[in-house]
Structures are given as structure tokens and as C-alpha cells.
Amino acid sequence: MINKNVLITGGSGGIGSALCRAFAKEGCNVAVHCNSKTDYAETLANELREKYKINAFAVQADVADRESVNVMFDKISNNFKSLDVLVNNAGIAQQKLFTDLTQEDWKRMISVNLDGVFNCTQEAVKRYMLPAHSGVILNISSMWGQVGASCEVHYSAAKAGVIGFTKALAKELGLSGIRVNCIAPGVVMTDMMKGFDEQTIAELKEETPLNELGSPSDIADATVFLCCDRAKFITGQILGVNGGFVI
């Protein structure tokens, strides 16, 4: 994958930073997106440049805001002449009873986790991938988008939307040489798990057939494979990386 240009949204998060490092290790140039963790994104980009000798830089945007996304892509255009891979990883999570959800809770979840995928994908496709007649889009959903999670109705709905988005767009863009796939992670130990106590985490581990929880590198390794040329005949697929939690 040497010299491929990659944008990773949510690149300053736990899974996101693992994604950035995994693509850089493969020789890809990486745009590290963040929303609020600008200092960390800059530090990570510096690390990637120094360690892997690739072009890496940080970009900031609220993926839920189309104008903010447009400005981000303008900056990317100043650094990349092409964009070969888009990884839609940016997202938020929240645990809350359905009856306690506010309209603001619902709107924010959908706007970041689903509208954000739409905003970034449409810009990438229109600006880069359709003119080049090539490209790869990889969306990060969740196993809860496949089966639903109690007390995470809005999160599950948004992530289910990402799965439907992936399948439909793969059909639409196939003739344009653009592949679209999705990874549905299981329980992965990142900052999003900080709200769970040790007993709950232990129970989730017990429910996982492999009897272990995932790491960001598990998601990153699968993502790199789906975005590389070895996966050139794979599109419209949802890959569960969940230790067997959902089968």
C-alpha cells in the first residue's frame, strides 16, 4: 500500500490512532482527523512522519457539520493530490435509558455517527474518487448496529444506519471502481469503555467465545486488509471483529 493517501476520521481516538499507525507502517500517507484533541493529533502526525518517513498531518473538523468538513477537505487538498482511502471512524457513544433520551441526545448521536459518515464520504467521492475511478471507503460501525444494545438505542440505530449506508453505496459505486466495506467491532478496550465497571467488563469477556476483549490493533489490522489490493474483490461487506460475540 506504499504511497496511498489515507484520511482517518477520529484519528486521535483509541482505535483511530491504531488505524493511523497501521496505515503509516504500510507506507501510506495519513491525514489524522480530530475534533477536539488537536494537540494529540499533531503529536501523532509528527510521530508518524519521523518513524515511518511518510507524509502525515493533522486536520480538524466537526464531522457533523458539513461546512467544517468542507474546510477540512480543502486543507487535505493542499497536502494530497489524491485520496485513495477514507476510513470513517469518528464517533461518539452514550449509555442511557430510552425513556431518558432527549431530542438533543438523539440528534447529536445521529449527526456525528451517521451524518458524519455521509458528509465525509460524499466529499471524498466527489472530489477524489469518482474523477480517479478508484478508491476505498471503510466505515466503522459496531456489533450493536447488527443486533442492538439495551440502553444504547440511539447508538445502535446510528450504527445500523452505517451498515445500510455501506451496502447501498457499494452497489452504487462499484462500476466507478470504488469499494465500500464496513467493520463492526465488538467490545474493544478504549476510552469509550471507561464508563463500565470491572464486573461489567468481566461479564462481557465471559460472553465472548474467545474469552478476551478486543484491542484497537485488532480493528486496525482488519481495516488495513480490507483497504489493500489483496481485498480487491471484496465490497459491500460487513466484517464482524468481535471475538465471536455476535455470530
Side-chain angles (χ1 to χ4, degrees):
M1 291 184 71
I2 293 174
N3 295 327
K4 297 283 188 181
N5 296 329
V6 182
L7 166 61
I8 297 171
T9 70
S12 59
I15 290 176
S17 57
L19 288 166
C20 291
R21 291 187 177 99
F23 277 98
K25 186 177 180 180
E26 293 289 319
C28 296
N29 302 311
V30 180
V32 182
H33 161 265
C34 67
N35 184 15
S36 58
K37 298 179 181 178
T38 52
D39 289 343
Y40 179 80
E42 291 284 0
T43 299
L44 178 58
N46 289 336
E47 173 197 321
L48 300 180
R49 285 196 302 272
E50 292 175 7
K51 186 172 182 179
Y52 299 106
K53 310 305 179 186
I54 50 93
N55 178 12
F57 57 95
V59 286
Q60 187 278 332
D62 176 358
V63 296
D65 182 283
R66 186 54 175 261
E67 184 55 37
S68 182
V69 168
N70 290 344
V71 171
M72 174 179 71
F73 271 87
D74 288 341
K75 182 173 181 180
I76 290 170
S77 296
N78 293 331
N79 289 271
F80 288 164
K81 291 183 179 179
S82 64
L83 186 66
D84 305 294
V85 177
L86 167 64
V87 180
N88 284 307
N89 169 69
I92 58 174
Q94 183 185 42
Q95 291 77 46
K96 204 169 185 180
L97 285 170
F98 175 71
T99 49
D100 291 337
L101 286 178
T102 65
Q103 280 195 318
E104 187 56 39
D105 291 331
W106 177 268
K107 288 179 180 178
R108 184 60 181 164
M109 186 65 68
I110 299 298
S111 66
V112 174
N113 289 3
L114 188 53
D115 292 353
V117 172
F118 166 77
N119 290 334
C120 293
T121 301
Q122 193 173 64
E123 284 302 310
V125 168
K126 290 167 67 175
R127 292 192 189 214
Y128 296 105
M129 296 182 182
L130 279 178
H133 204 75
S134 69
V136 179
I137 298 159
L138 193 288
N139 301 318
I140 304 294
S141 179
S142 167
M143 66 178 179
W144 303 132
Q146 297 174 296
V147 298
S150 175
C151 297
E152 294 186 67
V153 169
H154 53 339
Y155 179 81
S156 300
K159 291 300 189 178
V162 171
I163 290 173
F165 177 97
T166 298
K167 293 180 177 182
L169 194 60
K171 291 181 177 180
E172 185 170 331
L173 296 181
L175 289 176
S176 298
I178 301 167
R179 296 192 296 109
V180 189
N181 288 297
C182 179
I183 285 178
V187 183
V188 179
M189 293 306 296
T190 66
D191 287 346
M192 281 191 176
M193 294 300 296
K194 285 183 176 179
F196 295 88
D197 58 37
E198 290 185 10
Q199 181 180 344
T200 300
I201 291 175
E203 290 171 354
L204 288 168
K205 183 178 178 180
E206 277 189 21
E207 288 183 60
T208 304
L210 289 181
N211 197 36
E212 61 179 302
L213 301 183
S215 69
S217 63
D218 293 323
I219 309 305
D221 290 343
T223 298
V224 168
F225 169 71
L226 283 176
C227 293
C228 78
D229 292 341
R230 286 174 293 166
K232 64 183 178 63
F233 198 53
I234 301 174
T235 195
Q237 302 305 303
I238 315 302
L239 176 62
V241 183
N242 57 44
F245 198 106
V246 173
I247 296 176

